[in-house]
């Protein structure tokens, strides 16, 4: 008797669900439970992978909240944009167009660093794959995302890969830039910068102003990632912020 009641209750639920799904609003189904739950599952899965990569692999080293915000919201935007346009015949072209758009991104005051740009491409790629990978099984999708995360982790935390940071320095003692005084140049830079200098490359030299541009390679403290190393001068807005 209980089994029969359960079957009847199940049939009633199916009938109610079918009735709701049959309701049309301006030619569009009001609800499609199968598609709805598939959207939710894929979205949660995509955001979980992106959050793991952003929080534990990127943010732990960079401590850049602005890019944390950017990666998460771009991933969500790209996923919904691609997923909900999945029936439109512009899938691949639209996805590749997004790579081209973000490939020329420049912020108002500085270029986007290479590391951040690489993460951005990875986040976009993962979001596009998770949104477009309809024909593949969920196991293949999970494996693809895990491979992404594993390779990023391997590159970020491999102790055998040594990171050498570099910065551009406008240097005033041009008498030390000659090859025979290279050791004196290293010693002076070590003292004035307080860094462990690995090597120095001499760039442009201005004899009128006794100034040379040096590219200084050094061992970073605690494997830090300094995104301002390549800035050689401050713009007007940065000077205003400094003076205030």
């Amino acid at each position: 008797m209980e089994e029969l009641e359960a079957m009847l209750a199940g049939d009633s639920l199916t009938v109610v669900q079918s009735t709701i799904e049959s309701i049309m609003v301006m030619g569009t189904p009001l609800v499609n439970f199968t598609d709805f739950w598939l959207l939710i599952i894929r979205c949660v899965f995509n955001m979980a992978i992106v959050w793991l990569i952003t929080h534990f692999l990127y943010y732990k080293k960079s401590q850049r909240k602005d890019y944390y915000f950017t990666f998460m919201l771009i991933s969500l935007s790209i996923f919904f944009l691609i997923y909900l346009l999945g029936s439109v015949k512009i899938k691949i072209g639209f996805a590749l167009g997004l790579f081209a758009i973000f490939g020329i991104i420049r912020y108002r005051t500085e270029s986007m660093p290479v590391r951040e740009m690489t993460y951005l491409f990875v986040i976009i790629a993962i979001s596009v794959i998770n949104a477009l990978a309809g024909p593949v099984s969920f196991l293949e999708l999970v494996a693809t995302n895990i491979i992404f995360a594993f390779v990023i982790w391997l590159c970020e935390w491999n102790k055998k890969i040594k990171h050498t940071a570099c910065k551009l320095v406008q240097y005033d003692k041009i008498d030390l830039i000659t090859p025979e005084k290279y050791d004196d140049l290293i010693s002076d830079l070590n003292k004035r910068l307080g860094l462990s200098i690995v090597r120095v490359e001499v760039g442009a030299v201005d004899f009128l102003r006794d100034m040379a541009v040096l590219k200084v390679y050094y061992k970073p403290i605690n494997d830090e990632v300094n995104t301002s190393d390549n800035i050689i001068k401050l713009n007007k807005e940065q000077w205003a912020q400094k003076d205030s």
Side-chain angles (χ1 to χ4, degrees):
M1 187 64 179
E2 293 179 356
E3 294 179 357
L4 180 60
E5 291 178 355
M7 291 178 61
L8 292 174
D11 292 339
S12 301
L13 183 61
T14 303
V15 171
V16 172
Q17 180 175 327
S18 300
T19 303
I20 295 175
E21 291 181 347
S22 65
I23 299 174
M24 305 291 288
V25 178
M26 300 180 65
T28 303
L30 177 64
V31 178
N32 187 320
F33 289 103
T34 302
D35 291 346
F36 172 75
W37 287 114
L38 181 60
L39 170 64
I40 296 300
I41 292 172
R42 280 182 177 269
C43 181
V44 170
F45 173 73
N46 177 69
M47 294 310 297
I49 293 293
V50 171
W51 177 78
L52 288 172
I53 291 174
T54 304
H55 187 79
F56 292 102
L57 299 178
Y58 170 76
Y59 182 73
K60 196 168 183 180
K61 272 193 175 183
S62 297
Q63 299 292 310
R64 292 291 301 270
K65 185 178 179 180
D66 50 349
Y67 285 116
Y68 192 117
F69 173 86
T70 300
F71 294 156
M72 295 299 294
L73 289 192
I74 281 185
S75 174
L76 186 64
S77 303
I78 294 296
F79 176 84
F80 279 124
L81 196 60
I82 297 295
Y83 189 90
L84 297 178
L85 290 176
S87 59
V88 183
K89 302 299 182 181
I90 56 173
K91 289 182 179 181
I92 303 301
F94 186 72
L96 294 177
L98 289 172
F99 280 95
I101 291 172
F102 288 106
I104 58 174
I105 281 182
R106 290 182 64 90
Y107 281 64
R108 189 168 181 269
T109 56
E110 62 176 337
S111 300
M112 192 173 187
V114 175
R115 183 169 180 269
E116 277 69 17
M117 180 64 77
T118 303
Y119 268 98
L120 181 60
F121 272 107
V122 170
I123 295 303
I124 294 174
I126 290 175
S127 301
V128 171
I129 289 171
N130 290 335
L132 288 181
V136 303
S137 67
F138 196 72
L139 179 61
E140 293 174 288
L141 194 60
V142 171
T144 302
N145 283 263
I146 290 176
I147 291 172
F148 264 113
F150 175 74
V151 172
I152 295 173
W153 172 83
L154 192 63
C155 294
E156 286 281 15
W157 301 102
N158 190 342
K159 300 299 183 182
K160 294 183 179 180
I161 300 177
K162 302 298 182 181
H163 174 57
T164 301
C166 68
K167 63 170 71 261
L168 296 177
V169 176
Q170 291 180 330
Y171 192 63
D172 55 346
K173 297 182 179 181
I174 61 172
D175 57 307
L176 297 181
I177 66 174
T178 56
E180 60 269 15
K181 294 185 178 180
Y182 182 78
D183 292 338
D184 295 333
L185 174 64
I186 296 292
S187 177
D188 184 59
L189 288 172
N190 278 327
K191 181 180 179 181
R192 298 173 71 177
L193 294 176
L195 299 172
S196 179
I197 308 299
V198 176
R199 71 180 189 276
V200 177
E201 296 177 357
V202 180
V205 179
D206 188 341
F207 288 107
L208 295 178
R209 294 186 296 172
D210 288 335
M211 185 271 291
V213 177
L214 307 180
K215 193 169 188 179
V216 179
Y217 295 86
Y218 67 96
K219 295 179 181 178
I221 301 172
N222 298 325
D223 201 25
E224 65 178 4
V225 178
N226 190 346
T227 58
S228 62
D229 271 344
N230 291 326
I231 297 177
I232 60 174
K233 63 180 180 179
L234 298 177
N235 58 33
K236 293 182 179 179
E237 291 185 359
Q238 291 171 321
W239 275 117
Q241 293 175 0
K242 182 180 179 183
D243 294 337
S244 61

